[in-house]
Amino acid sequence: MHDNNRNNNNSSSIIKKTKSHKEGIIAKSVFLALHLAIYLLLTFKSTTILNEAWRNGDYFYLIWTHCLFFLSLFSYLYASSKKPGFIPTRDELKLNCNSNNNSNNSHSNNSYSNISKRNNSFNDIDQELETFEGTLNSKKNKIIELKPLLEEEEQYNDTDKEIKLQQQQQEKEEEEEILYLQRQQDINEIDNINDILNNNNKKRRLSGNIKVEYHENTKIEKFYCKFCKIYVPLRSKHCSSCERCIYKFDHHCVFIGSCVGLDNHKAFWSFLLAEALLLALGFRIITSGYQYAPTIKDWLWTNSTIIPPTLLIVGGFCMPLALFCFHSYLILTNQTSWEFSKYNTINFLKVYAKRGLNPFNKGIWSNFKDFLLDLEKPSDWKLPSEDEFEKYLKKSAENANSFNIWNNKYYSCCG
């Protein structure tokens, strides 16, 4: 019990509150306060469509508008609370190892308690063995009496055994010769393959910090993070605000108070869609609340409570809509915001940036399917070999000469 409490205390001391936790609390409170304030304004403003729906009892309009409102809030809370895909640090890995060792120790203590019970059963077994030894001795005496008869029979069978042994030796020699030839062929083929792979790796790896690991017969390429002091897969990046490395790092979003990565990118994308639809509805409702006035001054005075929220809704609508379109493009091409903006400076993408190649693009349909069904894994992020790179260059040259709406130098629908 004391060991478990110490491990829990150590884990709580290591997992400290970072900047992103404070940003998340502030972002959630500001987001909810703004939406609630605008909702109350649109509800109690006497000239808006929403206020008229409450007064006239238009329940169909009220139901679908409130469903969209709560859908946007739920998608925001889900996106802001879902973790982006943190890579375990060295301290967390050590804690897991210690917890496993403690569990093994507890199992060993239970086994020691059972030893005393088993000793009693062993004494019973010893008594049974003594009775069996008596029967075995009697059988041995009978076998000694029958030995001379068995020796006579063995003399007649010796000649037959010698002939069989000679035949078996010849067959073994023939099989060994065949296996030797096959092994030489396999060794030559393996040497040729290793030479090709080494040449490709020398040409392809420019950073010098990439190492190769094999997990469940799958090849995973990793590079070293100097902040976390661990090797992380390709497409990962260290976030200074979260103080962690993120799988498939996209960007650190201030509005959700967290990073956007492999695990929460879909939630963030759905939030952008729901928020853009909600702001479009809010713009339609708030514009219906403007009142007519004969002069500009009177118009500004009578509508002074609606003008600031209108500007906020218009600005808020443009940003989620633009981000939704941009992230839709990134999803269809299997990119991230970090890779899109730093394509020429990322170590493992420099070689392909000169040729305009995205090594992780599988085609529009495959990219979108992997994104929706969460089929993408770190083991899938592999850099193409030299042969694949040459095939892509040939294809891009053909597409540049003859433009095709499905496959060209700008995008590829079928991979």
Side-chain angles (χ1 to χ4, degrees):
M1 291 295 291
H2 294 291
D3 293 334
N4 292 327
N5 291 328
R6 287 176 183 174
N7 289 328
N8 292 327
N9 292 327
N10 290 330
S11 61
S12 62
S13 63
I14 289 171
I15 302 171
K16 298 178 180 179
K17 289 185 177 180
T18 57
K19 297 178 182 178
S20 61
H21 292 279
K22 296 179 182 179
E23 287 180 1
I25 296 170
I26 295 170
K28 289 177 184 177
S29 59
V30 171
F31 180 87
L32 295 174
L34 285 174
H35 280 67
L36 183 61
I38 294 172
Y39 171 76
L40 294 174
L41 177 65
L42 297 178
T43 302
F44 292 103
K45 184 68 176 176
S46 60
T47 56
T48 59
I49 301 173
L50 186 61
N51 184 270
E52 291 178 0
W54 280 108
R55 285 184 286 131
N56 298 329
D58 189 358
Y59 296 109
F60 177 75
Y61 183 81
L62 292 173
I63 288 172
W64 75 264
T65 52
H66 282 77
C67 285
L68 184 59
F69 178 74
F70 287 111
L71 177 65
S72 177
L73 292 180
F74 174 76
S75 63
Y76 172 76
L77 293 174
Y78 181 70
S80 59
S81 60
K82 190 173 178 61
K83 293 182 180 180
F86 294 119
I87 298 175
T89 60
R90 296 181 68 181
D91 295 328
E92 290 177 353
L93 293 173
K94 288 179 181 178
L95 285 174
N96 291 328
C97 293
N98 291 329
S99 62
N100 291 328
N101 291 328
N102 290 327
S103 63
N104 292 326
N105 290 328
S106 62
H107 288 300
S108 63
N109 291 326
N110 293 325
S111 62
Y112 286 131
S113 63
N114 294 325
I115 288 172
S116 59
K117 296 179 181 179
R118 293 178 182 176
N119 288 329
N120 295 324
S121 61
F122 287 147
N123 292 326
D124 298 332
I125 292 168
D126 290 335
Q127 293 177 357
E128 293 178 357
L129 287 173
E130 288 177 357
T131 56
F132 283 119
E133 286 178 355
T135 55
L136 287 172
N137 290 325
S138 62
K139 289 181 180 180
K140 286 180 180 179
N141 294 324
K142 291 180 180 180
I143 291 169
I144 291 168
E145 293 175 356
L146 296 172
K147 269 187 179 181
L149 297 174
L150 294 172
E151 289 177 355
E152 292 179 358
E153 291 181 358
E154 287 178 356
Q155 290 178 357
Y156 294 105
N157 294 326
D158 286 339
T159 55
D160 295 333
K161 288 181 180 180
E162 290 178 357
I163 295 168
K164 290 180 180 180
L165 288 172
Q166 290 177 358
Q167 292 177 355
Q168 289 177 358
Q169 287 178 356
Q170 290 178 357
E171 291 177 355
K172 285 181 180 180
E173 289 177 357
E174 291 177 355
E175 289 178 356
E176 288 177 355
E177 289 179 358
I178 294 168
L179 290 172
Y180 179 75
L181 295 173
Q182 289 179 353
R183 286 175 183 173
Q184 282 186 339
Q185 292 178 356
D186 293 336
I187 291 167
N188 293 327
E189 291 179 358
I190 292 168
D191 291 336
N192 294 327
I193 292 169
N194 289 329
D195 292 336
I196 293 169
L197 292 174
N198 290 327
N199 292 327
N200 291 334
N201 291 332
K202 287 178 182 178
K203 293 178 182 178
R204 194 174 64 184
R205 294 195 177 90
L206 300 176
S207 63
N209 291 327
I210 294 178
K211 76 170 185 177
V212 178
E213 292 183 357
Y214 290 91
H215 179 68
E216 295 180 356
N217 295 326
T218 56
K219 182 180 177 181
I220 301 175
E221 295 181 347
K222 295 184 176 182
F223 65 95
Y224 188 75
C225 175
K226 62 181 180 181
F227 300 101
C228 295
K229 297 180 181 179
I230 55 173
Y231 281 91
V232 296
L234 300 178
R235 312 189 76 181
S236 304
K237 186 180 180 294
H238 184 87
C239 177
S240 58
S241 299
C242 297
E243 298 179 356
R244 297 287 295 273
C245 285
I246 313 296
Y247 287 113
K248 198 181 179 182
F249 176 83
D250 190 272
H251 70 286
H252 184 85
C253 182
V254 181
F255 297 101
I256 64 173
S258 178
C259 284
V260 177
L262 178 64
D263 293 342
N264 66 344
H265 195 187
K266 184 168 65 174
F268 179 75
W269 180 71
S270 60
F271 158 67
L272 293 176
L273 177 60
E275 187 67 12
L277 294 174
L278 179 65
L279 290 172
L281 176 63
F283 180 76
R284 173 68 183 89
I285 295 172
I286 202 167
T287 52
S288 65
Y290 281 90
Q291 296 178 354
Y292 174 77
T295 61
I296 296 175
K297 290 182 180 180
D298 294 336
W299 184 84
L300 292 173
W301 178 254
T302 54
N303 298 312
S304 59
T305 57
I306 301 179
I307 292 174
T310 304
L311 297 175
L312 184 63
I313 289 173
V314 172
F317 171 72
C318 295
M319 185 175 64
L321 182 63
L323 286 174
F324 173 76
C325 296
F326 175 63
H327 279 270
S328 298
Y329 166 76
L330 295 177
I331 291 163
L332 295 176
T333 56
N334 199 1
Q335 297 184 77
T336 62
S337 300
W338 173 56
E339 293 171 353
F340 182 83
S341 59
K342 303 291 185 180
Y343 199 66
N344 294 317
T345 58
I346 298 174
N347 287 329
F348 59 86
L349 293 178
K350 284 180 181 179
V351 177
Y352 311 102
K354 296 178 182 179
R355 300 286 186 175
L357 168 64
N358 178 14
F360 309 113
N361 187 12
K362 302 177 184 177
I364 290 176
W365 171 245
S366 297
N367 295 332
F368 191 63
K369 181 180 70 174
D370 292 345
F371 175 78
L372 287 181
L373 301 179
D374 294 328
L375 299 177
E376 196 169 13
K377 299 177 182 178
S379 58
D380 298 332
W381 303 330
K382 300 176 183 178
L383 298 176
S385 61
E386 194 71 21
D387 295 333
E388 293 173 348
F389 188 63
E390 290 178 358
K391 287 180 181 178
Y392 173 80
L393 295 178
K394 291 179 182 178
K395 184 188 286 188
S396 61
E398 293 175 356
N399 294 330
N401 296 327
S402 60
F403 183 83
N404 186 0
I405 194 171
W406 302 111
N407 294 303
N408 51 66
K409 66 179 181 179
Y410 300 104
Y411 59 85
S412 175
C413 294
C414 304

